[in-house]
Amino acid sequence: MSKFIDRVVLHVSAGKGGHGCSSVRREKFMPLGGPDGGNGGNGGDVILEVDPNVHTLLDFHFHPHAKAGNGKPGEGSNRDGKRGEPLVLKVPDGTVVVGRDGEVLADLVGAGNQYIAARGGRGGLGNAALASKARKAPGFALLGEEGDEGDVILELKSLADVGLVGFPSAGKSSLVSVLSAAKPKIADYPFTTLVPNLGVVQSGDTTFVIADVPGLIPGASDGRGLGLDFLRHLERCAVLAHVVDCATLEPGRDPVSDVDALEAELAAYKPELSGDTGLGDLADRPRVVVLNKTDVPDAKELAEMVTPEFTARGWPVFEISAVTRQGLRPLTFALAEMVRQYREAHPKAAPKRQVIRPIATDATGFTVVADPDEEGGFIVRGVQPERWVKQTQFDNDEAVGYLADRLARLGVEEALVKKGAQPGCPVTIGDVTFEWEPAISAGVDMVPTGRGTDLRLEQDDRISAAERKHASRVRRGLIDEDGNEIKRDVKK
């Protein structure tokens, strides 16, 4: 038996960007070929796309991890790396993408509608792209960036025109089975229906979808029964139909009290997509009351007694029997007319196009704050500085010098001086901590040296912080010049 899954947590990982290539063109009779390292390819995206042939989130329940392909590294002869293969995940129409903090990220309605759940990392530049007047043949390249990684919640909200609500065993599944070609499970015990059942109904020239939402009992909006899990499937319904069991033998129950109890639950439930669908809260949707099982004599009398109560509220009332199919024709025509009126008032919109709404950030800005964990240390935060650090090969002096020049042009050196940073103090950018060396003259015209080297990093005559600490311990008599600990006699 297949399972119906309408809510899953999906772990998405976009592909990594490929590293840039550091290469120099070498050909016979061409001693100065110049740099020809290509750029790395971008990592693949994880994309959610609506597919009309998919009706459940079952695949993501059993395979909750999704990872796109990595970008390929660049190569010599100016050959750029191949882009990572994007991973396109097919989702049902009506899927809502929610972040871990509860924010609605996307409402996927309409075949082909897409949402990028995780963006691939950008590929690193090769040394051909890094060549400039100062660096005519760079001996380094930039590293590729990591792709986005995180969790998103997928929720399926059925696309139905009419939603059937009612107590367990009220006959909702039976009504769906006789109005449409759907064949839901029907039995004589409560909570037979454990998943929403959808059926297509044809009435004249109007075709609409009807949905049976299971498990509504008092307290459903607070999690009792199955209602909290399936009330979301009513959010897109234009019409709500109360299916009432007029033949129930349970004490303390009657059609009016049943409807009032469920109306309280509908009023308490707050749809997440009220602003997106334009339908408003569930309490504001048009209502129809369907008095079922009137083929039973006592039920017929009870239905006649309570009909004036519902008509006084302005709700159409229909007495039917799903077993004998009595009264189904007027009900079908009435539902079709209400759906037609709704469609005329709300013309079907064109399929939603992907809209990218980037978070407003100052990409060129940064901040310098004191490090709470390192005395005299500082932390530099900013989109560009942190990205540049991730792109740097720290085992290549020329790449480190290039990073220092970029930070100096951005103003990081000047900001550290204004904050009172001292030479040798620890400075953290992203995941990297290093000793600040203002004496390397970052940002000035560099002197060309061998590939992969930077002469400024070799011209450091200043005493380092470790050397100052060593000299201080020697002066205090804690260690000798060789770093050996000096033992002292302890007077008794």
Side-chain angles (χ1 to χ4, degrees):
M1 178 180 178
S2 61
K3 297 177 64 177
F4 179 87
I5 302 296
D6 64 348
R7 188 180 191 276
V8 295
V9 177
L10 184 63
H11 313 280
V12 293
S13 300
K16 301 178 182 178
H19 299 329
C21 176
S22 177
S23 173
V24 175
R25 182 181 179 187
R26 293 179 176 88
E27 290 187 22
K28 191 175 183 179
F29 307 120
M30 294 191 64
L32 299 176
D36 65 348
N39 303 329
N42 295 335
D45 300 331
V46 179
I47 304 173
L48 304 177
E49 181 178 344
V50 175
D51 187 343
N53 297 320
V54 179
H55 306 287
T56 179
L57 301 175
L58 184 63
D59 288 345
F60 306 119
H61 175 72
F62 293 108
H63 302 92
H65 297 273
K67 180 172 176 54
N70 296 330
K72 301 299 182 182
E75 300 179 0
S77 301
N78 293 305
R79 290 176 294 181
D80 294 339
K82 183 180 178 182
R83 292 178 57 94
E85 290 293 334
L87 179 61
V88 181
L89 304 175
K90 304 296 185 179
V91 298
D93 198 358
T95 299
V96 179
V97 186
V98 183
R100 276 295 192 179
D101 56 356
E103 178 186 3
V104 177
L105 304 177
D107 182 13
L108 300 178
V109 178
N113 193 17
Q114 292 184 342
Y115 171 73
I116 300 178
R119 292 190 176 274
R122 293 190 292 185
L125 296 179
N127 64 342
L130 297 174
S132 64
K133 184 178 180 180
R135 290 184 174 84
K136 295 184 179 181
F140 69 98
L142 299 184
L143 303 177
E145 298 181 16
E146 297 285 337
D148 294 340
E149 185 175 356
D151 297 341
V152 293
I153 301 173
L154 303 184
E155 291 187 352
L156 176 60
K157 302 179 187 295
S158 301
L159 297 176
D161 300 298
V162 179
L164 303 181
V165 296
F167 274 69
S169 299
K172 301 184 295 297
S173 298
S174 300
L175 184 58
V176 171
S177 67
V178 296
L179 291 180
S180 67
K183 300 300 179 184
K185 180 180 179 181
I186 301 173
D188 58 351
Y189 53 86
F191 295 105
T192 304
T193 304
L194 300 178
V195 300
N197 295 311
L198 298 180
V200 178
V201 182
Q202 178 72 39
S203 178
D205 296 333
T206 303
T207 302
F208 59 94
V209 179
I210 190 169
D212 161 23
V213 180
L216 293 187
I217 60 175
S221 60
D222 296 327
R224 293 190 61 189
L226 303 176
L228 187 61
D229 293 332
F230 297 116
L231 273 172
R232 70 171 68 96
H233 293 275
L234 294 175
E235 293 189 20
R236 303 184 194 273
C237 295
V239 180
L240 299 183
H242 282 287
V243 180
V244 182
D245 181 5
C246 291
T248 180
L249 299 178
E250 296 183 23
R253 283 188 53 187
D254 62 83
V256 176
S257 62
D258 285 359
V259 171
D260 290 341
L262 295 183
E263 280 293 318
E265 299 305 318
L266 295 177
Y269 179 73
K270 299 300 180 183
E272 295 179 0
L273 300 179
S274 58
D276 297 330
T277 60
L279 294 176
D281 291 339
L282 295 180
D284 300 329
R285 311 289 170 85
R287 298 290 198 274
V288 171
V289 178
V290 180
L291 303 178
N292 193 18
K293 304 182 182 180
T294 55
D295 54 312
V296 179
D298 293 341
K300 177 67 175 178
E301 295 180 4
L302 181 59
E304 295 175 353
M305 293 175 55
V306 300
T307 296
E309 174 72 21
F310 295 123
T311 54
R313 303 182 186 185
W315 297 344
V317 181
F318 297 90
E319 300 180 9
I320 69 161
S321 171
V323 174
T324 63
R325 304 198 175 194
Q326 172 188 348
L328 295 183
R329 188 176 180 85
L331 172 63
T332 304
F333 285 135
L335 292 177
E337 178 62 21
M338 297 179 72
V339 171
R340 186 188 62 79
Q341 292 177 1
Y342 166 78
R343 291 174 179 175
E344 291 179 354
H346 303 80
K348 186 176 181 180
K352 292 185 178 181
R353 302 180 61 183
Q354 181 179 351
V355 179
I356 300 176
R357 298 183 177 89
I359 301 175
T361 58
D362 185 2
T364 61
F366 65 92
T367 58
V368 177
V369 297
D371 192 338
D373 300 326
E374 287 283 352
E375 184 178 357
F378 294 89
I379 299 177
V380 179
R381 296 190 178 98
V383 176
Q384 280 192 341
E386 294 178 7
R387 176 182 297 140
W388 292 344
V389 166
K390 294 178 181 178
Q391 294 175 335
T392 301
Q393 306 175 42
F394 283 95
D395 57 351
N396 185 305
D397 288 347
E398 190 177 358
V400 175
Y402 179 70
L403 171 64
D405 291 339
R406 301 176 88 179
L407 294 176
R409 287 194 296 268
L410 188 62
V412 175
E413 294 277 340
E414 183 180 356
L416 286 170
V417 172
K418 291 182 179 180
K419 287 289 185 178
Q422 298 297 321
C425 68
V427 175
T428 301
I429 304 179
D431 297 330
V432 178
T433 301
F434 53 89
E435 290 186 356
W436 184 48
E437 298 288 350
I440 66 172
S441 304
V444 304
D445 293 337
M446 61 170 291
V447 179
T449 57
R451 297 182 66 246
T453 63
D454 193 313
L455 185 61
R456 296 170 297 174
L457 298 179
E458 302 174 1
Q459 296 177 344
D460 185 13
D461 299 328
R462 182 184 57 80
I463 299 176
S464 66
E467 292 173 338
R468 291 199 307 270
K469 183 177 181 181
H470 175 80
S472 175
R473 299 189 69 186
V474 171
R475 288 196 303 269
R476 288 183 290 169
L478 300 177
I479 58 175
D480 58 19
E481 292 293 342
D482 297 329
N484 300 318
E485 185 178 355
I486 298 177
K487 296 183 180 180
R488 296 183 178 181
D489 296 334
V490 181
K491 296 182 179 181
K492 297 182 179 180

